[in-house]
Amino acid sequence: MPSLQKTPKRQRGSIIRIEATEIDRLIKDIEQQEKVRHHPDLERYRKRGQWPKSKASPVYQILKFTIDQENKQNEKVKYEIEDGFLYGLINRHTKKVGKKGGYGFYRYNLTTLYYFLYKKSREEYHLERTYDTTTKATKVPVTPIIVYCERHNENEWKHLEKILPFLSNFKITLEFWDQPGTNLTKVMQKVGEHGLLINCIDKEYLENENCIKSLTEYLAINEQKIKYLERSIHLIFPTCLQQDNCDISTDSGRLRVLSFWDEQIRRINEQIAVFLNRGDELLPQLKNYLESLKKSYDNIARNIINNVDFIYNNDRTLHYEHLLKHPKELQQLIEQVLQQEKRGNYAIILKEVKQSLSEIEQLYHAIVIPSENDPQRPEFPPQPFYQPKYPASDCYPIDIQGFSNVWLKDESSNPTGTHKDRMAWELVIKYKELLKQERIKKMVNKAGEVPRLSIISAGSAAIAIQNFLRKFHLPDLKVLLDEKTEASIQKALQKAGCEVYTYDLSRQLLKPEDIKALTHNKHGLDITYREIMDYDHKTYYDWLSYEILNHQPDFCLLPFGTGDLFQNVLNINYDEVLKYRWGKQSHDPRLQHNNIKGLQNCHFMGATTRNPQSKLNKLYSAFLPSLPDHHQKLNKYQEEGMCGQYSGIYEVSEYYTDKAIDVANSLKINFEPSGVAGLALLFQLQAERTIPIPSTAKIVIVNTGKTKYQL
């Protein structure tokens, strides 16, 4: 405690009104002081049973003497208390003040006495103890507030403490996440059952491995996530809300956060490739470390969009700059949390809301996922409406002049006729995660609803998604169509239950928040850009990718629209080749052969068009922001020798598109022109002869099918 010097009368501070019970307690505690209690004068007066009327209480003289002695022994701390205050307090020669009564004392004198008796201020003392009208002391727990922040945020928090006197009622501790050994689990242990966490979120937090990793791992356990929801407040700093940087209030900003972690993964993969290519002698020692780091970053990237959404779209999230103008909002929020505490801890709350979960429970348990990657327990097409099988679609040989080993992977047998059904099922699985979050919200008595999905679609994806949403009684899809879309497709989607909106999609590149605005879905999710739901392009079509790779093709030709299917196949192939290079014996069980060198040399070719008038209308897009990323990954895989040198994205002319349509009709294939773009590309490559394709090469062509609009 700093030195307490003599204070002139005009600087003694305001007069504090205290009740008689507090005076009684102070006198009692003064008498219990070791040097006071055993003083011979006090013992003598106690035996007499009363004080002489002409003299003051000996406690006054004894206490004054004790304070003087303490001041002489301790040069650093001086307890300067006015004699008149001590005399008036102990002998109750004090004036009642105010209409409400009570006794008035200068704040300075009272504060100094508290420091002498209890080594703390009066305010700190009353946070730890409270007294009833009989002056019997009862201890109550102090509510601890842990502020979890970076060191450079300390000044911002101190400023909040200055403008919010309310915070002085709590025991506040700052925990710095950039301090070694600190993580969210340890901090939440300190929060305990009655404390409160204020998690300060800035750009550095979102890009720090320790912060995001510990947040991801902590929230992965339901009980911990419930506790976090119940005992935490998020404080968002300006660096998280900067446009064109890291504005987590928008989907575009969240994608930038995802891009940061994608870049970290890319750098790790590059480092792995360097060690592999030069046969570095340190590889055995680095191998486990790099694998562990890559796995950690993959997990972070897979969950980063959900975690950022969890942080921002939370009724206990406050913006720092807004708080400077409206500081009482933090006070109200803290009081709300403490008010909730009176209802009991989260275990009791679980019991209270059990009845209200029945509807969500039914939706949640209706979505059955037999396994993630067990070919003996496939997940698609989903139960109970279909019989899952692996492979889910047929692959059979077709007769193409000039080639002897051409196979067609035919996705037209799927529920709505295209490969988009596989993506639709993965979105239902994603909805199961959202339902899980909704259950947790209700468990802590928080309002909310399962968000609705918005998408830009030409029709196939929309009808596939809506089919499964309806079957699982999930919210209907919001669809944004180009204003030139055929009226029949619009009517079919509306009949299926979609909310349909139209817009001239050639006008501008729409961001996720634009799409949500145009579909009246402010608080929902836009799934047009796959990164929101499937950041690493390995989930939507993972089972289909393995079905294709199991045929061990030399050339794989498939349609390229958004690039999702093409990239998914490439990424799965890359993973399996990388496992082989690392010397791993265990591959994904869905890969049913060991010809990894064959996969390493396979040429993956995407067939697309840039012609808005093309018959390949499902493959055309005026804007495709992900195209540079597709090219970047493709070039990287080729440089590292993870796929054939002729792998690429090729534009197909209308002449060969027409030829593919004629041949597909003659073979009685169920298709639409966009679905057989791979066949058109084969005819084009055969005619141009720029790429040598042996007549005996195994060629797998993917027919993405034909949309069934009548459900």
Side-chain angles (χ1 to χ4, degrees):
M1 187 192 75
S3 177
L4 299 175
Q5 301 297 334
K6 184 74 173 178
T7 306
K9 185 175 182 179
R10 64 178 181 273
Q11 297 180 15
R12 293 171 186 164
S14 59
I15 292 178
I16 299 177
R17 182 183 65 83
I18 65 174
E19 299 295 336
T21 53
E22 185 172 351
I23 294 177
D24 291 339
R25 188 258 302 167
L26 283 170
I27 293 174
K28 182 178 180 180
D29 287 351
I30 289 171
E31 292 177 354
Q32 293 302 315
Q33 290 286 309
E34 186 73 13
K35 294 180 180 179
V36 175
R37 188 170 70 246
H38 299 297
H39 197 279
D41 287 350
L42 184 60
E43 292 294 323
R44 186 165 56 251
Y45 277 101
R46 278 176 176 164
K47 291 178 181 179
R48 293 180 58 174
Q50 61 180 7
W51 315 119
K53 292 183 180 180
S54 61
K55 295 185 179 181
S57 163
V59 176
Y60 163 70
Q61 297 292 342
I62 296 168
L63 180 61
K64 188 175 183 302
F65 176 79
T66 303
I67 292 175
D68 290 339
Q69 289 294 107
E70 185 105 355
N71 285 338
K72 289 178 181 179
Q73 295 173 8
N74 192 340
E75 295 182 356
K76 294 182 179 180
V77 179
K78 302 295 182 183
Y79 297 100
E80 301 287 351
I81 305 177
E82 294 178 311
D83 292 348
F85 164 74
L86 289 177
Y87 185 89
L89 176 74
I90 295 174
N91 293 282
R92 291 176 175 78
H93 293 165
T94 55
K95 295 180 180 180
K96 287 197 173 184
V97 296
K99 294 181 180 179
K100 296 181 179 179
Y103 297 86
F105 299 97
Y106 282 111
R107 180 184 295 275
Y108 175 83
N109 287 318
L110 196 59
T111 299
T112 307
L113 179 62
Y114 267 87
Y115 271 116
F116 174 76
L117 293 174
Y118 311 114
K119 310 305 179 189
K120 62 189 65 176
S121 70
R122 179 172 179 264
E123 288 76 14
E124 290 173 334
Y125 182 88
H126 279 284
L127 284 174
E128 297 181 357
R129 299 170 65 92
T130 184
Y131 288 83
D132 59 22
T133 55
T134 63
T135 72
K136 180 179 179 181
T138 307
K139 284 192 176 182
V140 295
V142 181
T143 300
I145 293 181
I146 307 248
V147 180
Y148 192 41
C149 65
E150 193 176 10
R151 288 184 184 276
H152 71 71
N153 293 138
E154 183 177 3
N155 290 335
E156 283 93 336
W157 175 257
K158 293 297 184 184
H159 181 62
L160 278 181
E161 288 188 283
K162 288 180 181 178
I163 64 175
L164 260 179
F166 169 78
L167 292 172
S168 64
N169 296 329
F170 301 93
K171 181 180 179 181
I172 297 177
T173 306
L174 270 63
E175 290 282 345
F176 301 113
W177 54 254
D178 50 345
Q179 181 175 329
T182 303
N183 58 53
L184 186 60
T185 300
K186 292 180 179 178
V187 170
M188 289 303 293
Q189 288 173 352
K190 294 180 180 179
V191 169
E193 296 298 323
H194 302 286
L196 179 66
L197 172 72
I198 297 181
N199 199 353
C200 299
I201 310 294
D202 59 6
K203 185 173 183 288
E204 287 75 16
Y205 181 99
L206 297 175
E207 295 180 353
N208 182 275
E209 179 189 355
N210 176 52
C211 292
I212 298 301
K213 181 181 178 182
S214 64
L215 179 69
T216 301
E217 292 175 350
Y218 192 84
L219 298 182
I221 300 173
N222 283 353
E223 291 77 8
Q224 293 181 171
K225 190 169 187 177
I226 293 169
K227 180 180 178 181
Y228 186 88
L229 273 168
E230 188 187 41
R231 311 304 308 176
S232 68
I233 291 173
H234 295 125
L235 188 57
I236 307 294
F237 283 83
T239 55
C240 281
L241 300 170
Q242 295 175 350
Q243 291 185 352
D244 301 324
N245 184 9
C246 177
D247 186 358
I248 63 172
S249 66
T250 67
D251 288 340
S252 300
R254 295 172 198 177
L255 286 175
R256 289 191 185 97
V257 178
L258 172 60
S259 297
F260 170 83
W261 288 105
D262 263 344
E263 177 65 15
Q264 308 314 305
I265 294 170
R266 184 187 68 79
R267 290 179 179 179
I268 293 175
N269 287 334
E270 284 183 351
Q271 195 61 52
I272 291 174
V274 168
F275 287 130
L276 288 172
N277 290 334
R278 74 185 189 191
D280 200 295
E281 61 182 11
L282 294 177
L283 183 60
Q285 292 90 332
L286 290 171
K287 180 178 175 181
N288 291 337
Y289 169 73
L290 289 174
E291 282 187 332
S292 174
L293 193 60
K294 183 176 184 295
K295 183 178 179 181
S296 175
Y297 280 15
D298 277 338
N299 190 42
I300 288 172
R302 190 175 296 109
N303 291 280
I304 190 67
I305 294 292
N306 288 341
N307 286 338
V308 173
D309 183 68
F310 175 79
I311 289 169
Y312 188 80
N313 292 324
N314 192 311
D315 58 6
R316 291 185 182 168
T317 292
L318 297 171
H319 295 180
Y320 180 80
E321 288 187 334
H322 176 78
L323 204 56
L324 294 179
K325 300 176 183 178
H326 309 278
K328 286 193 176 180
E329 289 190 11
L330 180 59
Q331 177 177 338
Q332 293 167 356
L333 198 51
I334 291 175
E335 288 174 345
Q336 175 189 328
V337 174
L338 299 182
Q339 197 67 26
Q340 175 181 286
E341 184 179 350
K342 293 179 181 179
R343 299 178 57 245
N345 60 31
Y346 62 89
I348 297 174
I349 297 172
L350 289 177
K351 185 177 180 180
E352 290 179 355
V353 299
K354 189 175 181 180
Q355 296 300 321
S356 68
L357 290 171
S358 57
E359 182 179 350
I360 292 178
E361 290 286 346
Q362 290 176 7
L363 293 174
Y364 180 83
H365 291 295
I367 303 172
V368 178
I369 308 168
S371 73
E372 290 187 358
N373 66 347
D374 184 356
Q376 302 302 317
R377 299 168 59 220
E379 63 178 24
F380 182 85
Q383 300 172 335
F385 313 102
Y386 310 97
Q387 181 59 48
K389 58 181 181 178
Y390 184 75
S393 61
D394 294 332
C395 188
Y396 50 83
I398 56 174
D399 186 12
I400 301 296
Q401 187 175 359
F403 300 100
S404 62
N405 198 12
V406 180
W407 294 70
L408 188 77
K409 178 63 174 173
D410 192 357
E411 286 287 285
S412 65
S413 60
N414 289 332
T416 66
T418 74
H419 71 304
K420 296 291 186 182
D421 287 307
R422 304 207 187 225
M423 175 192 71
W425 166 239
E426 296 297 337
L427 289 173
V428 171
I429 294 175
K430 178 65 178 180
Y431 248 127
K432 183 160 188 169
E433 295 179 20
L434 297 174
L435 288 168
K436 183 179 179 180
Q437 294 179 18
E438 179 65 9
R439 292 166 74 216
I440 291 173
K441 285 182 179 180
K442 285 190 175 292
M443 286 175 184
V444 291
N445 201 29
K446 294 168 72 69
E449 59 182 22
V450 179
R452 296 184 65 177
L453 304 181
S454 293
I455 190 173
I456 292 178
S457 176
S460 298
I463 200 71
I465 295 168
Q466 178 64 15
N467 175 48
F468 284 149
L469 293 182
R470 274 292 174 96
K471 288 186 181 300
F472 288 98
H473 304 287
L474 295 168
D476 290 327
L477 182 67
K478 290 174 173 282
V479 186
L480 187 62
L481 299 175
D482 187 85
E483 59 186 16
K484 297 177 183 178
T485 303
E486 296 176 18
S488 60
I489 293 178
Q490 293 188 37
K491 290 180 181 179
L493 291 174
Q494 289 171 336
K495 186 177 180 180
C498 295
E499 284 187 25
V500 177
Y501 303 85
T502 60
Y503 186 76
D504 182 3
L505 299 178
S506 65
R507 283 177 55 187
Q508 65 184 93
L509 173 62
L510 296 177
K511 298 178 180 179
E513 49 269 25
D514 299 326
I515 298 168
K516 292 195 291 184
L518 290 168
T519 56
H520 301 167
N521 193 21
K522 181 179 179 181
H523 300 294
L525 291 174
D526 168 55
I527 57 173
T528 303
Y529 301 102
R530 178 176 176 178
E531 288 82 0
I532 295 291
M533 307 293 272
D534 180 22
Y535 93 94
D536 57 1
H537 290 74
K538 294 180 183 178
T539 303
Y540 278 0
Y541 303 110
D542 55 338
W543 289 78
L544 175 56
S545 297
Y546 279 108
E547 290 175 26
I548 293 170
L549 297 180
N550 280 338
H551 286 279
Q552 306 177 51
D554 298 314
F555 291 83
C556 178
L557 289 73
L558 59 166
F560 185 100
T562 61
D564 290 345
L565 175 58
F566 178 78
Q567 193 65 62
N568 209 144
V569 176
L570 269 177
N571 289 344
I572 295 293
N573 185 76
Y574 174 84
D575 282 354
E576 296 303 331
V577 173
L578 188 62
K579 290 175 187 176
Y580 171 77
R581 284 194 173 187
W582 275 100
K584 282 191 174 182
Q585 301 299 318
S586 59
H587 291 271
D588 191 290
R590 290 171 293 183
L591 186 67
Q592 299 179 333
H593 66 81
N594 295 317
N595 184 19
I596 307 301
K597 287 189 176 181
L599 298 181
Q600 189 174 343
N601 296 321
C602 179
H603 308 283
F604 297 93
M605 299 177 168
T608 191
T609 182
R610 305 303 303 160
N611 177 9
Q613 307 301 322
S614 173
K615 293 183 179 68
L616 306 177
N617 60 332
K618 298 291 180 65
L619 306 182
Y620 173 77
S621 175
F623 302 97
L624 192 59
S626 58
L627 187 59
D629 291 335
H630 292 312
H631 281 298
Q632 182 183 13
K633 278 194 173 182
L634 181 59
N635 292 337
K636 173 181 177 296
Y637 292 169
Q638 287 178 315
E639 290 172 2
E640 295 178 10
M642 297 295 196
C643 61
Q645 60 178 318
Y646 299 120
S647 297
I649 303 166
Y650 298 85
E651 291 186 34
V652 180
S653 74
E654 287 302 292
Y655 174 81
Y656 295 106
T657 297
D658 291 335
K659 183 175 181 180
I661 291 172
D662 292 339
V663 172
N665 280 324
S666 68
L667 294 173
K668 297 182 179 180
I669 297 171
N670 189 21
F671 74 99
E672 54 194 10
S674 299
V676 291
L679 182 59
L681 178 58
L682 178 61
F683 290 138
Q684 182 171 303
L685 295 174
Q686 183 184 33
E688 293 176 349
R689 297 185 180 182
T690 54
I691 295 176
I693 304 179
S695 60
T696 57
K698 184 166 186 178
I699 303 169
V700 174
I701 297 172
V702 178
N703 168 34
T704 52
K706 181 179 181 180
T707 306
K708 303 174 187 175
Y709 286 105
Q710 303 302 321
L711 299 181

